[in-house]
Amino acid sequence: MALELDPDWPGLTAENDASGKGDPGLRTPEIKRIAGEIQKIIAALTTPTEIPATQVAYAKGSTPPPLPGPPAGAGSLPDLQRECALSEIQLGEWPVAQSFSMATVTAYAQLIGEPGHGGGLYSSLIERCRETAEGLVETAKSYDGAETANQADATRRYV
């Protein structure tokens, strides 16, 4: 059984054959573009946004302006680590609040992870994306290097 290339798969091409059944090849510019897009997404996921205003000053007797909503891009890992780390201090010290606090601390550790320690699913997702982008760039570099070496070998003449 032979592997068939999906003609719509970005970064791959079948060389020497328009039907898609030739030897597989890489389109390194497309692979680098995809890696760049992943890196932009990682930047959005790891860049903290400004802390939103929780109070607004206004003149006495006037209608207070509405508080601004969350900033664009809110939901990055640093935002979640800053805003979602609740404990019994925020939730209260009565028995139900303490039980709820244990549940939120466990959920926080599992889903988000502590700053600098990772461990949460969100932190792990970002790290896997970063490794994927780096792997794509390295693949493109290696393929370009091999292509250059093959072209240099083809021009050599042995006497």
Side-chain angles (χ1 to χ4, degrees):
M1 173 166 72
L3 295 175
E4 292 184 25
L5 294 178
D6 181 346
D8 296 327
W9 191 268
L12 292 177
T13 184
E15 298 177 356
N16 303 325
D17 191 349
S19 69
K21 298 196 188 279
D23 293 331
L26 298 180
R27 291 188 301 235
T28 56
E30 183 69 7
I31 291 173
K32 290 175 185 175
R33 182 193 65 76
I34 293 167
E37 286 183 19
I38 293 171
Q39 289 166 339
K40 286 179 191 174
I41 293 168
I42 293 168
L45 293 174
T46 57
T47 303
T49 57
E50 293 182 27
I51 297 175
T54 56
Q55 297 180 357
V56 176
Y58 61 96
K60 188 173 183 176
S62 65
T63 305
L67 289 172
S76 69
L77 181 61
D79 291 347
L80 294 173
Q81 289 171 332
R82 179 182 67 227
E83 301 294 335
C84 297
L86 301 176
S87 68
E88 63 275 349
I89 294 169
Q90 290 89 6
L91 298 172
E93 296 184 11
W94 47 290
V96 173
Q98 288 180 345
S99 295
F100 183 66
S101 174
M102 286 190 293
T104 58
V105 167
T106 301
Y108 175 84
Q110 292 291 316
L111 298 174
I112 298 169
E114 293 294 329
H117 294 33
L121 293 174
Y122 199 46
S123 300
S124 297
L125 170 69
I126 291 169
E127 190 56 36
R128 297 300 83 77
C129 288
R130 184 176 285 123
E131 290 170 356
T132 299
E134 290 171 1
L136 288 171
V137 169
E138 285 301 314
T139 298
K141 284 181 185 178
S142 295
Y143 193 82
D144 284 342
E147 286 291 308
T148 302
N150 285 340
Q151 289 170 359
D153 287 344
T155 59
R156 289 187 187 150
R157 293 182 183 238
Y158 297 99
V159 185

